[in-house]
Amino acid sequence: MKRDAEQDKVYSTRREQVDEFVFDRQVARVFTDMIGRSVPGYDSVINLSSVLAAQYVQPDSVCYDLGCSLGATAQALRHGIRVPGCRIVAVDNSPAMLEQAVKRLPAAADRTPIDFICADIAEMAFDNASLVTLNFTLQFIPLAQRSTLLSRIHAGLRPGGILILSEKIRFDDPQEEQLQIEMHHAFKRANGYNDLEISQKRSALDNVLIPETLEQHRTRLKQAGFRRADLWFQCFNFVSLVARG
């Protein structure tokens, strides 16, 4: 994945008070660099979404990219879709992120259209979907709203449709949890972040990004109506599941 020319320096200066993380203009400008250097396996999950799109997207259906940020997943889906009559609905609640997403969308009149929408995905209804992605998005949704969102997604899936759910997870075993945190921080250091940046961003995300265990995700998906949820990717404490409707 191509990196932004502007490097992420959002948390490089010591702050008296670290405010909660928000997807504002400052973050939008450096987001590609930020997430690529912060999320192990991010590029692989996004790029391989095109493979899943080629396999599962059905003719005359809708693909939803929920929490689309700068539209990387939507563009990967477009690259993978091989059937006619489809469209991609890419949704985010950050105007700053969507502004950048629209600017980055390459012209492709002969490819599946992408519609960018500014909305709260927790309040949306879904229809005629053959593929839905929640790539590192559910973790930012309040816990009390997650089950309802997944139930709505399931209700809007066609038979044979799938949900791609990618998340940061936590572990019940304290030693495993500590190991995964240490490895994640080591990954960030290897990508040029220093301890101040790592610490301040972690503080900013403390009450914003709420991870759960893999078992909690699987249980909730089953309760929402999905037949099964298979792990297809993991790198440290980041995973991706394919849930079948």
Side-chain angles (χ1 to χ4, degrees), residues 161-188:
I162 66 166
L163 165 67
I164 303 172
L165 175 64
S166 308
E167 289 278 285
K168 180 180 182 180
I169 61 170
R170 64 176 181 82
F171 299 84
D172 285 329
D173 185 305
Q175 292 186 347
E176 185 176 11
E177 173 73 355
Q178 186 59 34
L179 171 66
Q180 297 291 350
I181 290 172
E182 289 173 356
M183 293 301 296
H184 184 205
H185 289 177
F187 172 85
K188 289 186 174 184

Side-chain angles (χ1 to χ4, degrees), residues 70-120:
L70 303 188
T73 297
Q75 292 190 45
L77 297 179
R78 169 193 264 182
H79 180 73
I81 291 173
R82 298 287 185 268
V83 293
C86 299
R87 68 186 182 102
I88 299 166
V89 177
V91 188
D92 206 284
N93 65 355
S94 167
M97 298 294 276
L98 289 174
E99 181 182 350
Q100 291 293 322
V102 171
K103 288 180 180 178
R104 293 159 183 263
L105 184 66
D110 60 333
R111 304 298 293 271
T112 301
I114 301 175
D115 300 324
F116 287 103
I117 298 175
C118 189
D120 181 352

Side-chain angles (χ1 to χ4, degrees), residues 39-42 167 180 184 187 233-240:
V39 177
Y42 176 79
E167 289 278 285
Q180 297 291 350
H184 184 205
F187 172 85
F233 184 90
Q234 179 171 359
C235 189
F236 303 145
N237 48 350
F238 290 83
V239 303
S240 189

Side-chain angles (χ1 to χ4, degrees), residues 186-229:
F187 172 85
K188 289 186 174 184
R189 291 188 193 96
N191 282 319
Y193 286 118
N194 60 40
D195 288 344
L196 175 65
E197 290 173 294
I198 293 170
S199 175
Q200 291 195 144
K201 187 174 182 186
R202 187 176 185 183
S203 295
L205 288 168
D206 266 348
N207 297 313
V208 178
L209 190 163
I210 310 298
E212 298 180 280
T213 67
L214 184 58
E215 186 57 36
Q216 284 175 309
H217 284 297
R218 282 181 161 147
T219 297
R220 185 184 290 112
L221 287 164
K222 184 176 181 180
Q223 291 171 345
F226 290 91
R227 292 184 290 110
R228 59 182 299 140

